[in-house]
Amino acid sequence: MKRRSFLQTTGILGLASPALLEQNTSVPEPIIIATWKNEKGTLAGYQKIMETGKALDGVEAGAWVPEADPNETTVGYGGYPDRDGHVTLDACIMDHLGNAGSVTFLEHIMHPISVARAVMEKTPHVMLSGEGALEFALSQGFKKQNLLTEKSKQVWLEWKKKAKYEPKVNIERHDTIGLLALGKAGEIAGACSTSGMAFKMHGRVGDSPIIGGAVFCDDEVGGACATGLGEFVMKTLGSFLIVEFMRQGKSPQQACEEAIMRIVKRYKYQEFQVGYLAMNKKGEYGAYSIQKGFNFTITKNGKTEVIESASYMS
Ligand code: ASP
């Protein structure tokens, strides 16, 4: 609670001891968490927060790491293409003021998260898509490049022999990076970046660019982000739902569990994975997934740790 609102709500101005006031003005240490095993990403994000103080800079820097990694086949450069051989990217970003930006179906740009940020900061819009997003990116000085690596191309050509669309739970298809951070002022920000489901239909857009789907932040409450089969995250607006659950008083862990149960009950559990990550303004976090195998990475006080998430299926 901010000092002013503490004073307003308690009405004890003049009665509170300096120690008590001090206690109520404290903000948690900067912290950044990300879906899956993303140690280099959270560390880069944490270092950025230490440098600029801002959670928004942290989540952007954190997304840059897998976006530029050719061995990361579900994000940015080296991402598996759609069934026609195009690497198409979705990303979004949201700050503590409720500003948001996103890109969908973007090709040829290594860092879609930064294009999403530019949409947020330099246009009157929230979302740009396809050719329009590319044109905008180029106008902002982003470089056009081929994102399909030889390695990913070979996997796609192999897949084409049978051309059977069957995503495997937790393997190769669900490594979207979703990030949440608290900056030095304790403000929240979130981001998400992906090349989406491998070998998806050309034109398919998942949850990752959807504000409220893959990412949602509200500085009064906290934030949430998602990974997994985006169609189910979109149909339940998972991240928004989690933030609203936290607003009602649930812990980040309880909120993630409720949102997963919403999918499980509504769609009668089928064999797919969705994983959620949430953090409140105190820096408390939680995670939950439908199937086991989901994990997340956290960097705090300069230390990085990968933690296994609890899951609905044992
Ligand atoms: N959520 C992403 C999508 O549906 C995929 C993933 O997380 O792996 O595009």
Side-chain angles (χ1 to χ4, degrees):
M1 189 185 285
K2 297 250 163 27
R3 179 185 166 128
R4 208 160 132 220
S5 58
F6 172 72
L7 294 175
Q8 276 163 355
T9 49
T10 57
I12 54 166
L13 186 57
L15 296 178
S17 72
L20 185 57
L21 288 176
E22 188 50 43
Q23 196 185 333
N24 282 280
T25 54
S26 66
V27 291
E29 285 293 308
I31 175 172
I32 180 162
I33 56 177
T35 53
W36 304 107
K37 210 171 170 312
N38 268 310
E39 295 111 308
K40 285 187 190 152
T42 57
L43 193 57
Y46 182 81
Q47 282 163 350
K48 197 66 174 178
I49 297 170
M50 287 304 154
E51 199 184 306
T52 70
K54 294 192 178 120
L56 191 69
D57 293 337
V59 292
E60 181 185 22
W64 266 52
V65 173
E67 282 182 340
D69 183 350
N71 296 316
E72 181 51 75
T73 54
T74 55
V75 184
Y77 177 56
Y80 286 150
D82 65 17
R83 53 174 67 171
D84 298 338
H86 303 273
V87 180
T88 69
L89 309 173
D90 297 333
C92 75
I93 195 159
M94 189 164 192
D95 74 10
H96 65 292
L97 299 171
N99 297 310
S102 101
V103 288
T104 81
F105 196 51
L106 173 65
E107 290 184 68
H108 310 304
I109 301 291
M110 188 180 286
H111 293 298
I113 197 65
S114 297
V115 186
R117 182 169 178 174
V119 171
M120 174 174 93
E121 291 176 341
K122 297 183 178 165
T123 81
H125 307 304
V126 170
M127 184 182 281
L128 289 180
S129 189
E131 277 297 316
L134 178 60
E135 269 171 36
F136 169 70
L138 297 177
S139 78
Q140 296 300 307
F142 288 87
K143 209 171 99 209
K144 186 171 179 176
Q145 56 197 111
N146 174 29
L147 301 180
L148 185 61
T149 56
E150 195 48 41
K151 204 170 132 203
S152 289
K153 187 176 170 188
Q154 288 312 319
V155 177
W156 167 62
L157 290 173
E158 193 53 38
W159 173 84
K160 258 173 55 122
K161 289 183 188 161
K162 285 195 193 146
K164 218 167 154 208
Y165 181 69
E166 44 181 21
K168 288 186 201 131
V169 171
N170 293 329
I171 306 168
E172 297 170 340
R173 312 283 197 265
H174 294 289
D175 285 346
T176 294
I177 185 163
L179 302 121
L180 300 167
L182 291 180
K184 282 190 179 165
E187 87 287 5
I188 186 102
C192 181
S193 183
T194 191
S195 51
M197 308 299 293
F199 320 131
K200 60 197 173 186
M201 285 176 71
H202 187 57
R204 183 262 188 189
V205 170
D207 61 312
S208 303
I210 308 293
I211 299 298
V215 171
F216 196 73
C217 293
D218 184 320
D219 211 43
E220 282 183 5
V221 181
C225 62
T227 182
L229 193 51
E231 277 70 8
F232 291 90
V233 177
M234 292 160 93
K235 286 189 276 198
T236 54
L237 222 49
S239 294
F240 179 73
L241 188 63
I242 291 169
V243 171
E244 291 310 300
F245 282 145
M246 291 196 291
R247 193 192 305 280
Q248 290 162 14
K250 294 192 192 312
S251 69
Q253 184 62 35
Q254 289 166 336
C256 288
E257 290 179 17
E258 287 261 351
I260 286 293
M261 290 317 292
R262 178 72 58 94
I263 297 176
V264 169
K265 285 187 197 149
R266 181 92 171 80
Y267 297 98
K268 313 288 177 239
Y269 170 71
Q270 299 162 25
E271 288 208 355
F272 59 85
Q273 175 69 303
V274 170
Y276 286 129
L277 200 52
M279 182 159 66
N280 64 19
K281 290 275 294 175
K282 290 185 230 159
E284 296 166 341
Y285 51 86
Y288 201 62
S289 58
I290 298 181
Q291 307 217 32
K292 61 181 181 182
F294 176 48
N295 48 24
F296 62 99
T297 310
I298 166 168
T299 300
K300 191 184 173 182
N301 294 324
K303 289 201 195 83
T304 301
E305 201 185 342
V306 176
I307 301 173
E308 289 305 311
S309 165
S311 58
Y312 168 70
M313 298 292 286
S314 49

